[in-house]
Structure formats: C-alpha cells, structure tokens
Amino acid sequence: MANNTSGASHNFKVVLLGEGCVGKTSLVLRYVEDKFNTNHVTTVQASFLNKKLNIDGKRINLAIWDTAGQEKFHALGPIYYRSSNGAVLVYDITDEDSFQKVKSWVKELRKMLGADICLVIAGNKTDLEKNRNVSLEEAEAYAIKVGAIHFQTSAKLNKGVEEMFLVLTQKMLETVEEKEAQNAPLSRQNSQRRNVVVVDDDQVPPPPTRQCCSNS
Amino acid sequence: MWQKYDENLHNNPFFHEIIKNHGDLIVKASQEEWIICVPRIGVIDPNEITIETILDHILVPSEGTTLSKKEATIKNKQIVTNSTTRHILFEETFYIEDLKYTVFCIDSPLFSSRVTCPHVVNKIETLHHCIDFFWSENLSHVLIKIQRLCASFVDQNRSFCRENLQNQKDLIGSLYSQCLQLVLRNRGFTDCDNIKLAVETYMQSCLDQFLTHAINTVTCLHDSELNKIIRNSSELQLKDLSIPPKFCDNITNAKSELSKINNYVTILDKVNCLKLTFGHLYTKICLTSDDVLQLFVFLILKLNITNWTSNLIYLTQFQFSSHEPNESNFLVTSLEAALEFIKSEQFAKIKPRHSVTPLFQTIVTGDLTNLRKLLDVKNSGGNLCHPLCDCDDCTKMDSSYDINSKGQTLLTFAALLGRSEIVEFLLSKGAEVNSVDYFGRSALHYACLKGHQDVLLILVNCRAEVNVRDHDGNTPLHVACNNGHENCVKALFYASKGLDIDCVNKHGDSPLHLAVKWNYVGICAVLIENNANVCVTNRKNQLPANLAQNYYTERFFPNSVPKPPKDNNRSDKFKKIDLLLKAIENDDLPLTCFYLGFSTSSHYDFQSKCHPLCNCEKCEDLDTGQDPNVEYISVNACNIDGFTPLHFAAKFGRTELLRILLDSGALPNLKTLKTLQTPLHLACIHQQVSVVKELVKCANCEVDSQDYYGNTPLYYACVRNDAKIVEVLLTNGANADIRDYGNSIIKQVQENLTESQDIFL
C-alpha cells in the first residue's frame, strides 16, 4: 500500500547462504520469530520471512530468503541470490569445511553481483566454543579482506543475531542511498530488470536433430 | 502481490501522540522491553487518544499485562485480553537514537467494545478478492471496459501466439497500461498498489486461455524437453530423492493442491496455489530449504502437468504491477529452482535403486563375461531330477525362470538398462522374448520406456510382439510416445509390421493422445505421417486435437474444431457409476434401483409379474416405471476398473439385487479390467453361496472362466475351503482339471483341504 510523505521506504532482499547444518534456518527463525527449537515451531514458513525495521525514521522491509545448502543444489545459487541487496554467509565455527564454503560463496557473489551486494559473515554456534575449529582472527581478517563484516552468533543463545541483521541493514541502506545520490532517478527498477532472464524465441535451441534408427 | 497491511506509523495520530508527548514512555519501553500497540490509522477517534488509552496499549510481556495493569497476552499473532481479541497486522522494530523498541500495529483498539470500522483490511490473494476490491472501491464500472479492451486485443492480435516472447511481453504490457489508465483516469493515487494488482489480475482473467496458449507455444520446445526428463524419471521414489517418509501425509495434500495450478489463469491465483501447496508441506513440520526443494522436485515428477516452463515464464515475465522482492517472488523462485534442478546434471545422476541378486548385478554393471560365467555354473552345476523335470528345485535352474522382485526376467532387466550385448546374448541362449513382469510389461516395453533404440531393434528382429499391452493397456508405442522417445517411435514403424497405431490404453488414450499431451511435436509428426487416427476419443471424450495446448501441436489438426466440445457427461457418468456401486456395497436397494431407473415396486414384488420373463402388456408396464427425463445407468455399465453392478452384487452377496440385475439383462460373464474376474469369481472369493447358486442358474454363465492368474471360480472356492460352493460348482459342470498359469491344478490345492475333498472323490 502506498505510503508517501515522510521517510523513504525500502524493500531489501537478504539471502542466507552456507552449507547444510550450519544453522541458517535457526538464525532467521531466531531473528524473526525469536524461536530456537524448530521441532516446536508449527506451521512456520522458515524459508521466507519478513521483518520490518524503522531506522531513524527510514522504513525498511527485510525479505529474508533461506536457501538450500546441500552441495547438489549449489548450481541453483544464482536463482536465489539474484537481485538481492545483502547476503548473510553462515558457517559453523566447529566445521572448517563450512568456512571454506563461505569463501567460495563470497567469490561467486563478488563475481556475479560485484559491490552491489552487502556481505556479512556469521560464525554460528558460538555456544560450542570449546569445539571451535575456525580461528576467529583468521575469519575476521578474511572478512576485512573481502569487504564483509564478521559476526559471531549463536542462534541457540540468541547472541549477536539481531546486531548482525541491524548492521547489515544499515550497510544496505548506505549503499542504496549512495546509489540514489549518484543517479537521482531511482535506479532500482533497472537493477531489477538486469537480472531477469529473458527466454527469447531466438534463443530457443533448435530441436535436436535425430536420425531415424540411429542410436540416441 | 499479497499486499499485506502496511502503513507508515509516523503518520498515525495515535503513535504520533506517543512520540510527541510521551517520550518518557518510549525510553522506558526501550529499557524494559515493553511493546507499544498502535491501532491502525482511522480506527480510533483522535479525541479518544488520552493517557489512559495509551497506557492500555503498552504491553509488558514479562507480566502478561498492560501498563494499566489489565491482562493482555500475545498468542499466535493476536493479542488476547479479557474482553477483546485483536490481530497483529504487522510488527515494526524501531532503532532511533540508541533506543530500540517494538511496535505492533493492530486492527482495532484494545479494550474498546466499539469497533469503529468493522471493514476488514483488504486482502488480495485471488481473482475473487480483486473483483470484490473493484466493487468496494466503487470501480465496478471499469470491469466491463477492461473486458472490452481485452476482447478487442484478442481480436486484433490473431497471430499473437507466434510472436516471440519479448513482443508478447511488450504487447501485454501496453494492454496493461491501457487498462490501468481506465481506472486511474479519474482518481487519485490512493491504494495504488492494490489497484494495479487488481487491474492486472482482472485483465489476465479476461485474456484467459489466449495468453496461456501463446506462452505455451513459445515454450513448447522447452516444455517437451522438460516433460521428457520428467516422464523418464517418474518412477523415482521418495527414498531415491532421500526424502524422509514422515513427509508422506503432507505430500498427498500438497500434490492435490498443486495439481490445480492449470485451473487458474491469473498469476495471482497461480501464486496463491503455490502458497497453499507450501502451506500443506509445512503443516506440523518445520522444513529446511533443502527439504522444500526436494519435496517440490518430487511433486513435479509425480504430477500430470505438461507445461511447467510455460507456467514459470508466465509467473516471472508477465507481472507488471510489482517488482518488490516479496513472498510471491520467493514462491515462484522456488518453483524455478526445482525445475532448474530437474534439468541439471546433478538430477540426471539420481537413479532408482535396484535391489538385485548377483546375477542381475552383472546386468547393472554390464558385465557380460561374468553373466555368462554365472549362467554356466547354474546350468551345469545342478543336475535336474530327470531331463524334463519341472519340480520347484529344477525350475530354479532354468535361467529363464530367474526373476527379480518386479517379476522381470534377465532379458527384461537388460532391456530396461539398455544393455544391448546382454540382450543379444540372452536371446541367443533362448530367453523368452515376450515374457512379461508383474506390470504386464515385456522387454520391448522397457526398451521403449527408456529409449533404447538398439535394444528395441534386436527385440523386434527376434519376433517380439509389438502390440503387447501391459496392465494399463499400454503398448510399447504408447510407452515410447509417453516418454518422448522419438527414435523408438520411428524404429517401431520402421522395423515392425502390423503395428497397431491407434490402440487405446485403459484411459482410452491412443499414442497420438500422449504425444500431443506432452508436446512431443516430432513424435506427433511421425504418427500423423503414418496415418494415425485423429478421431479417437479417450475416456474423457477428448480427441487428440483437444489435448493440444499450443500452436505447434494444433497445426496437426487443421480440420478439427479449435476448442474442445466440452462434454463432461462421460466423467460424470463414471462418478454416477461409482455412486451406484457404493449404494450396492451399502445394501441400499431403493437407491440402487433409483440409479438404474428400476421402479422398485415392480422388482420388490415379483409375484405381480405373470412370470419372470413375461412381456405381456401388463408386465411391461411394471418394468417401465422410468422417468424419460432422467438418464439412467445401464445395467452393464462398469466403473474405471471394469466392475459392473453385477460384480458388486456378487461380491457383497446382494442376492435379491443380483436377481433383479440378471432379470434386467445384466451379462453374467463380464470381466474386470485388471484381474479379469467374472462375478462368479468374486462370489467364490467372498464365499457368497446364494449368489453362486443364482449365477450358475444362468444359462450362459461360464463356470470355468479363468482370471488373470489363470484361476477358475472353483479354484477360489477350494482355497476358501467352502464345500458348499465347490459342490454347487461341480454339479454345474465345473472342470477340476484346469491348470492355472502357475501350473498348479485344483486337485493339488485340494490336497491340504479336507472338508471338500470327498466331493471330488
């Protein structure tokens, strides 16, 4: 519904990326519903959640998309993260592989979306500190190197979750406002269009030529 | 889409009052984690905004009260107080100058019995909501104008379906802006998003099949390729996709929901269908995105939807009213991801798991030498009792009796996996080329199912029967057409004589029906070239032409009526028959007679007839108590599985009805479709002595009819150990020496059964 007058309103799309079992779903459920034990959550659509924020009079609607983390679905990444404003890259501090996976996501995102997308890296499961396998210094150094912000979170203990999303939102806000300042007429429409995959008639592959009675 | 209620709280007088005059409360709320409830704009009289009402609207969640010490709890997106229940429309978290507090926007004030504005917030999720919206906004007059615009658009763009996608989009886009102008011409821009959405949705509903058809045409090739992948993977089960069985219940509901997606023409309704499908999947279970994706893939594989790509393009490319990343966007993206995954290499690697013996394992690996070795060992190692012995132990030695859990022989299994060398080898060893498995499918069926053209040619050369039908009535040609294997279709025409091209399966579909349905344009061309009959109607009374969804498949039927002669009578009839059979099962004689159009009185009272077969004038009158205006079910009508009323009467022992049916001309020897059983079989299986007596009295009743397994009624009577029935059957000339297809003979079955034994002696 139209809300005009004071304070701009923004719609931000945030994707959660990371290997399976690092706690992506728990993070978002904790943030939006303030729930942890997913077994007791009934009829909650955890893959897509909305959160409204109001930061100093600016209204922001976060659309948080959880994505499939299994390796076999890796190729589907672009379908999910296209035209997103921010990404939360989650790894499990007890699992070194999941951190490597974050690195590969960062590379891919930077390559496909450039600097348009704001990144935060979340080292989740700090409640399992004693089993830590990813060093904090290494992770923070890496985050700085790639222009992301690093957070330590625990969905279970509700630590760092809200702060992480808040900082990410502020960063996305800055990015968008900078852009708007650059080219006054709203450029969002264009950025949206850019990612639309157009299946054109001309691109339709010709029907595979099959010869009669030859082995296919 | 789904414009959920939203407003800018800074413009809300109630909230404004708190900010302006009660800053202390806000600071306190931030420290104590109180929640501020704000009634949506317009539902509270500005004069009523006092400090008391404000205190009533600040919740202290830790104590379950308001600041005014009244009880108020938050439950399930609602605020429940002693007197009222209010919906939380949305929640907004404020971060202002180091303060953080949460605000709930609610539909009406708490503790106020007076509901200022009962009008529920507009929710637009379906076409109906859109039309309601037009009426509620006093815009109903534009509906007819939009209709006219769309009608003239359809008129002016006769060749629209052959435009490329970009042009189609542009044309529809400009039509949309024309429609929108109609509405906005004399109006301000209030509630603009909903107007846009409603206009777009209504426009789509006016264009109806016109647009769907055009997009189907553009995506025809993509869809036929996708259909081929889906058809060839349709045997994948939950475990193959590693989906836990606990989701089963949810899948059933989700599947029936998603199957309706093509019943809707508007994007709004289609997305709502996706939403409901998701809702079913999420019932009582929290799913991760991985689960959702896999379940979605599974649903797509199991559904009979033939134009997924077209649906996807429609949902992603033809929405002009909104581009925000909202939930509908997410749902459509999930569909896209699932389809993309099905097309991916990762998916191609998923194979159904075969549980196999070592012998079958050699075929899985394609290891001919090993297979040869194992067969040699088998054939030489064991000595038969005597050269022609067929006792159980000896039959096991014979390689052609080796079957797996699905009843497939080595040959059939090799054909399924496309191991042409092994097929050749087995045939050279004398394997039976036409043996069928438990689904009635031969090796040729499987070669066609999987598109193994080389195997197909070998089999046909070895005189494989080309018109053999499986239990669903499908010939190899059906199977090849259904799975989109054009090479196999061509090979069948090339290599075999006497191919029955117009054979129909149990749904009444000819191969041409299937090829058209799944958009296999190439196969359609081959079938048409070979003079396939275009006038076959299936059990839904559809011609192949009626199944065509796009320009390319329609081209093959230049002379047919462009739109299906919608005739629902036939499926109605099946429904009616099911009702009739249900009535028989429930022993509801009057209702049964009503469905069949018998006047009950005449049949209840046989004595009133001169004799049972009398057609004298007086008796005739008794019979024709039918109302000529009602269409009755014929006595020999059968349901989808081939059960007639007589079958049901026999099964449930409705002797009186049975007599009525037989008197009204019911045929006693009709067989069911799958099991090939006559009413007499059923009566024996269910031990209905009186029915058996009644049936054998019929002059033309075949007592020795064999069912699908080769069993006669007598066999079942013996297995049930029912001496009375056995006696009745034997006295009526039943033959006790008929062998069933498993080669046992009734007398053998008999051996263990004592009671009926002396009857045979």
Side-chain angles (χ1 to χ4, degrees), chain B residues 224-240:
Chain B
S224 71
E225 273 161 29
L226 181 67
N227 285 340
K228 190 171 168 182
I229 300 174
I230 294 177
R231 287 296 94 206
N232 283 285
S233 312
S234 59
E235 80 270 20
L236 287 180
Q237 297 301 321
L238 284 176
K239 61 176 192 291
D240 299 319

mmCIF file of all heavy atoms in Angstrom, chain B residues 224-240:
data_model
loop_
_atom_site.group_PDB
_atom_site.id
_atom_site.type_symbol
_atom_site.label_atom_id
_atom_site.label_comp_id
_atom_site.label_asym_id
_atom_site.label_seq_id
_atom_site.Cartn_x
_atom_site.Cartn_y
_atom_site.Cartn_z
ATOM 1 N N SER B 224 8.613 -29.636 -23.940
ATOM 2 C CA SER B 224 8.675 -31.031 -24.360
ATOM 3 C C SER B 224 9.963 -31.666 -23.856
ATOM 4 O O SER B 224 9.979 -32.829 -23.464
ATOM 5 C CB SER B 224 8.535 -31.153 -25.873
ATOM 6 O OG SER B 224 9.685 -30.687 -26.504
ATOM 7 N N GLU B 225 11.043 -30.890 -23.814
ATOM 8 C CA GLU B 225 12.290 -31.456 -23.291
ATOM 9 C C GLU B 225 12.180 -31.728 -21.793
ATOM 10 O O GLU B 225 12.617 -32.773 -21.307
ATOM 11 C CB GLU B 225 13.462 -30.512 -23.578
ATOM 12 C CG GLU B 225 14.049 -30.780 -24.949
ATOM 13 C CD GLU B 225 14.882 -29.622 -25.468
ATOM 14 O OE1 GLU B 225 15.447 -28.889 -24.630
ATOM 15 O OE2 GLU B 225 14.940 -29.462 -26.690
ATOM 16 N N LEU B 226 11.580 -30.769 -21.104
ATOM 17 C CA LEU B 226 11.395 -30.968 -19.659
ATOM 18 C C LEU B 226 10.483 -32.166 -19.391
ATOM 19 O O LEU B 226 10.770 -33.001 -18.531
ATOM 20 C CB LEU B 226 10.787 -29.697 -19.050
ATOM 21 C CG LEU B 226 10.563 -29.729 -17.546
ATOM 22 C CD1 LEU B 226 11.903 -29.771 -16.824
ATOM 23 C CD2 LEU B 226 9.773 -28.517 -17.094
ATOM 24 N N ASN B 227 9.404 -32.268 -20.183
ATOM 25 C CA ASN B 227 8.477 -33.385 -19.993
ATOM 26 C C ASN B 227 9.168 -34.716 -20.189
ATOM 27 O O ASN B 227 8.886 -35.685 -19.500
ATOM 28 C CB ASN B 227 7.305 -33.274 -20.965
ATOM 29 C CG ASN B 227 6.335 -32.200 -20.545
ATOM 30 O OD1 ASN B 227 6.318 -31.795 -19.391
ATOM 31 N ND2 ASN B 227 5.545 -31.714 -21.473
ATOM 32 N N LYS B 228 10.080 -34.734 -21.167
ATOM 33 C CA LYS B 228 10.791 -35.985 -21.427
ATOM 34 C C LYS B 228 11.605 -36.374 -20.195
ATOM 35 O O LYS B 228 11.591 -37.537 -19.772
ATOM 36 C CB LYS B 228 11.683 -35.821 -22.654
ATOM 37 C CG LYS B 228 12.263 -37.114 -23.151
ATOM 38 C CD LYS B 228 12.947 -36.926 -24.495
ATOM 39 C CE LYS B 228 13.772 -38.150 -24.822
ATOM 40 N NZ LYS B 228 14.493 -38.017 -26.083
ATOM 41 N N ILE B 229 12.286 -35.394 -19.615
ATOM 42 C CA ILE B 229 13.072 -35.698 -18.404
ATOM 43 C C ILE B 229 12.137 -36.168 -17.289
ATOM 44 O O ILE B 229 12.391 -37.170 -16.628
ATOM 45 C CB ILE B 229 13.839 -34.441 -17.928
ATOM 46 C CG1 ILE B 229 14.793 -33.958 -19.007
ATOM 47 C CG2 ILE B 229 14.592 -34.738 -16.641
ATOM 48 C CD1 ILE B 229 15.477 -32.652 -18.669
ATOM 49 N N ILE B 230 11.042 -35.446 -17.114
ATOM 50 C CA ILE B 230 10.131 -35.793 -16.018
ATOM 51 C C ILE B 230 9.524 -37.176 -16.229
ATOM 52 O O ILE B 230 9.499 -37.999 -15.329
ATOM 53 C CB ILE B 230 9.016 -34.729 -15.888
ATOM 54 C CG1 ILE B 230 9.608 -33.392 -15.460
ATOM 55 C CG2 ILE B 230 7.958 -35.176 -14.898
ATOM 56 C CD1 ILE B 230 8.614 -32.260 -15.379
ATOM 57 N N ARG B 231 9.068 -37.445 -17.445
ATOM 58 C CA ARG B 231 8.455 -38.749 -17.733
ATOM 59 C C ARG B 231 9.443 -39.880 -17.465
ATOM 60 O O ARG B 231 9.104 -40.912 -16.938
ATOM 61 C CB ARG B 231 8.010 -38.839 -19.193
ATOM 62 C CG ARG B 231 6.796 -38.053 -19.582
ATOM 63 C CD ARG B 231 5.569 -38.512 -18.889
ATOM 64 N NE ARG B 231 5.358 -37.734 -17.694
ATOM 65 C CZ ARG B 231 4.700 -38.147 -16.642
ATOM 66 N NH1 ARG B 231 4.177 -39.342 -16.606
ATOM 67 N NH2 ARG B 231 4.560 -37.391 -15.603
ATOM 68 N N ASN B 232 10.675 -39.650 -17.858
ATOM 69 C CA ASN B 232 11.666 -40.720 -17.716
ATOM 70 C C ASN B 232 12.166 -40.863 -16.276
ATOM 71 O O ASN B 232 12.892 -41.797 -15.969
ATOM 72 C CB ASN B 232 12.842 -40.491 -18.670
ATOM 73 C CG ASN B 232 12.478 -40.877 -20.081
ATOM 74 O OD1 ASN B 232 12.399 -42.041 -20.410
ATOM 75 N ND2 ASN B 232 12.198 -39.889 -20.920
ATOM 76 N N SER B 233 11.778 -39.941 -15.425
ATOM 77 C CA SER B 233 12.184 -40.044 -14.020
ATOM 78 C C SER B 233 10.989 -40.319 -13.130
ATOM 79 O O SER B 233 11.106 -40.290 -11.919
ATOM 80 C CB SER B 233 12.829 -38.745 -13.569
ATOM 81 O OG SER B 233 13.785 -38.327 -14.481
ATOM 82 N N SER B 234 9.837 -40.550 -13.748
ATOM 83 C CA SER B 234 8.620 -40.605 -12.938
ATOM 84 C C SER B 234 8.612 -41.801 -11.997
ATOM 85 O O SER B 234 7.818 -41.845 -11.074
ATOM 86 C CB SER B 234 7.384 -40.621 -13.826
ATOM 87 O OG SER B 234 7.439 -41.736 -14.662
ATOM 88 N N GLU B 235 9.491 -42.776 -12.227
ATOM 89 C CA GLU B 235 9.466 -43.926 -11.319
ATOM 90 C C GLU B 235 10.304 -43.684 -10.068
ATOM 91 O O GLU B 235 10.330 -44.518 -9.172
ATOM 92 C CB GLU B 235 9.912 -45.210 -12.036
ATOM 93 C CG GLU B 235 11.412 -45.404 -12.197
ATOM 94 C CD GLU B 235 11.940 -44.800 -13.490
ATOM 95 O OE1 GLU B 235 11.252 -43.931 -14.056
ATOM 96 O OE2 GLU B 235 13.037 -45.186 -13.918
ATOM 97 N N LEU B 236 10.962 -42.530 -9.984
ATOM 98 C CA LEU B 236 11.740 -42.239 -8.778
ATOM 99 C C LEU B 236 10.827 -42.181 -7.558
ATOM 100 O O LEU B 236 9.723 -41.665 -7.620
ATOM 101 C CB LEU B 236 12.466 -40.891 -8.922
ATOM 102 C CG LEU B 236 13.655 -40.855 -9.870
ATOM 103 C CD1 LEU B 236 14.251 -39.467 -9.889
ATOM 104 C CD2 LEU B 236 14.709 -41.873 -9.473
ATOM 105 N N GLN B 237 11.309 -42.723 -6.468
ATOM 106 C CA GLN B 237 10.511 -42.750 -5.254
ATOM 107 C C GLN B 237 11.119 -41.806 -4.220
ATOM 108 O O GLN B 237 12.217 -41.287 -4.407
ATOM 109 C CB GLN B 237 10.452 -44.171 -4.694
ATOM 110 C CG GLN B 237 9.767 -45.156 -5.610
ATOM 111 C CD GLN B 237 8.334 -44.752 -5.930
ATOM 112 O OE1 GLN B 237 7.606 -44.253 -5.083
ATOM 113 N NE2 GLN B 237 7.925 -44.943 -7.175
ATOM 114 N N LEU B 238 10.387 -41.629 -3.117
ATOM 115 C CA LEU B 238 10.862 -40.743 -2.048
ATOM 116 C C LEU B 238 12.286 -41.087 -1.629
ATOM 117 O O LEU B 238 13.127 -40.220 -1.462
ATOM 118 C CB LEU B 238 9.944 -40.866 -0.833
ATOM 119 C CG LEU B 238 8.597 -40.176 -0.925
ATOM 120 C CD1 LEU B 238 7.786 -40.469 0.315
ATOM 121 C CD2 LEU B 238 8.782 -38.684 -1.077
ATOM 122 N N LYS B 239 12.552 -42.391 -1.485
ATOM 123 C CA LYS B 239 13.862 -42.764 -0.954
ATOM 124 C C LYS B 239 14.982 -42.444 -1.955
ATOM 125 O O LYS B 239 16.107 -42.156 -1.548
ATOM 126 C CB LYS B 239 13.888 -44.231 -0.544
ATOM 127 C CG LYS B 239 13.620 -45.237 -1.654
ATOM 128 C CD LYS B 239 13.781 -46.647 -1.108
ATOM 129 C CE LYS B 239 13.821 -47.706 -2.185
ATOM 130 N NZ LYS B 239 12.552 -47.920 -2.885
ATOM 131 N N ASP B 240 14.641 -42.472 -3.245
ATOM 132 C CA ASP B 240 15.663 -42.144 -4.242
ATOM 133 C C ASP B 240 16.103 -40.689 -4.107
ATOM 134 O O ASP B 240 17.237 -40.334 -4.399
ATOM 135 C CB ASP B 240 15.137 -42.395 -5.655
ATOM 136 C CG ASP B 240 14.757 -43.855 -5.863
ATOM 137 O OD1 ASP B 240 15.511 -44.717 -5.383
ATOM 138 O OD2 ASP B 240 13.722 -44.116 -6.475
#
